[in-house]
Amino acid sequence: MQRLGEYAFVACRSIEELTLPKTLTKIGEGAFYGCQGLRTLTVEAGNPKYLAEDGSLFNHDKTTLMLFLAQNDKTHYDVPETVTTIEGAAFYGSKLKSITLPPMLTTIDAEAFVLMEQLESITIPSSVTTIGNGAIGACASLKEIYVSDGVQSIGDAAFSENPSLVKVHLPEGLTRIEGWLFRGCTSLSEVNIHENVNCIGSDAFRDCQSLTEITIPDKVETVGWDAFRGCSALEKITIGRSVTVLAGGTFYGCDKIREVRSYIEE
């Protein structure tokens, strides 16, 4: 066998052991997505493309981490310093409580850290430029995300549905708060929106029920549909001077608002 197709073993939760042959040269996207029962993964000796080590699957030169086994018993993991890319769903459902990302990492693909129910915090190093859609989501115990300055792009819903998330540090260079970014983060009470941000996407903060205050920076021109819908604790809003569009439902369900400051120039 030379090729393993896209989503070949998707949601095969009963598979516990898997051996990849030395003839395998291509693994399709999402091939092991949702394989939460996988305990052992072996790559036959002589395979020129892939390497299994320490409960993880890498490309042969260990620059791409493709999979961390969901049934790996580690509670902490240091991603090898050679890794520059973490592929989509690589840590799906893992039991890690903490993780250290390497200083050479540049790319975190979509859903890389989804359903990590015991993960408590994560720091994204300054070497990372791109965080994919839904990258860190549905992590029930996650309380803090620190995104270092240097990160330029954070995808749609990248931090959504983390119910215990309290604090997020965003990088200074970020220019867009994408749609659904913090949707369903019901405990979120502290997030910094830097002055370089020029757009806040639809549903970006929807149902962030612990936010009490928000400042929309002066460079923001557009605030998307339902951006702050359901932020039921929101009391104070400051709207920057460049906002031209507040789309429908922006503050729907924000029944505790008592102060609005607007610096929009007429």
Side-chain angles (χ1 to χ4, degrees):
M1 183 177 72
Q2 295 181 322
R3 178 182 174 85
L4 191 61
E6 295 181 357
Y7 302 100
F9 294 104
V10 65
C12 291
R13 297 180 177 86
S14 297
I15 293 178
E16 295 186 3
E17 298 183 17
L18 195 61
T19 298
L20 304 180
K22 63 182 179 182
T23 55
L24 185 67
T25 57
K26 176 66 176 177
I27 297 176
E29 180 182 351
F32 308 107
Y33 189 94
C35 292
Q36 292 175 270
L38 198 55
R39 294 182 178 276
T40 304
L41 180 65
T42 304
V43 178
E44 286 185 347
N47 186 297
K49 293 288 187 179
Y50 303 110
L51 172 71
E53 181 180 286
D54 198 25
S56 301
L57 177 66
F58 303 91
N59 65 341
H60 201 267
D61 61 2
K62 290 181 69 175
T63 57
T64 299
L65 193 158
M66 304 173 68
L67 181 67
F68 181 89
L69 301 188
Q71 293 301 315
N72 192 316
D73 291 331
K74 291 179 180 290
T75 57
H76 175 80
Y77 183 60
D78 293 314
V79 177
E81 292 197 356
T82 54
V83 171
T84 60
T85 298
I86 296 176
E87 285 197 348
F91 288 88
Y92 184 106
S94 86
K95 301 174 182 178
L96 292 174
K97 290 184 178 180
S98 60
I99 185 169
T100 301
L101 303 179
M104 298 298 289
L105 186 68
T106 60
T107 303
I108 297 172
D109 285 342
E111 300 185 32
F113 301 103
V114 166
L115 285 172
M116 298 177 67
E117 295 187 351
Q118 298 181 50
L119 186 67
E120 296 176 352
S121 65
I122 188 167
T123 296
I124 310 299
S126 59
S127 56
V128 172
T129 58
T130 303
I131 299 174
N133 296 344
I136 309 170
C139 298
S141 301
L142 185 64
K143 294 179 177 62
E144 182 173 358
I145 299 173
Y146 188 97
V147 185
S148 301
D149 294 337
V151 176
Q152 300 169 8
S153 175
I154 301 176
D156 291 351
F159 307 141
S160 66
E161 306 300 337
N162 291 308
S164 299
L165 185 63
V166 174
K167 183 178 180 180
V168 176
H169 176 276
L170 295 175
E172 289 189 10
L174 193 68
T175 59
R176 294 179 59 88
I177 303 293
E178 298 292 357
W180 293 56
L181 184 59
F182 297 107
R183 178 167 179 165
C185 295
T186 54
S187 300
L188 183 65
S189 61
E190 185 176 344
V191 60
N192 59 324
I193 304 178
H194 285 287
E195 61 182 15
N196 290 318
V197 170
N198 57 45
C199 179
I200 297 176
S202 297
D203 296 281
F205 293 89
R206 183 167 180 165
D207 296 328
C208 291
Q209 298 170 5
S210 298
L211 274 181
T212 59
E213 181 177 347
I214 198 77
T215 296
I216 299 174
D218 281 339
K219 290 184 180 179
V220 172
E221 298 179 359
T222 301
V223 179
W225 291 88
D226 298 324
F228 298 95
R229 184 185 183 108
C231 293
S232 54
L234 194 60
E235 296 181 354
K236 182 179 178 181
I237 304 166
T238 302
I239 302 174
R241 64 185 74 252
S242 298
V243 172
T244 57
V245 177
L246 283 174
T250 297
F251 297 109
Y252 183 87
C254 301
D255 299 330
K256 292 186 178 180
I257 293 175
R258 57 180 176 81
E259 181 179 349
V260 178
R261 294 183 180 182
S262 177
Y263 296 97
I264 299 173
E265 298 178 350
E266 296 184 0

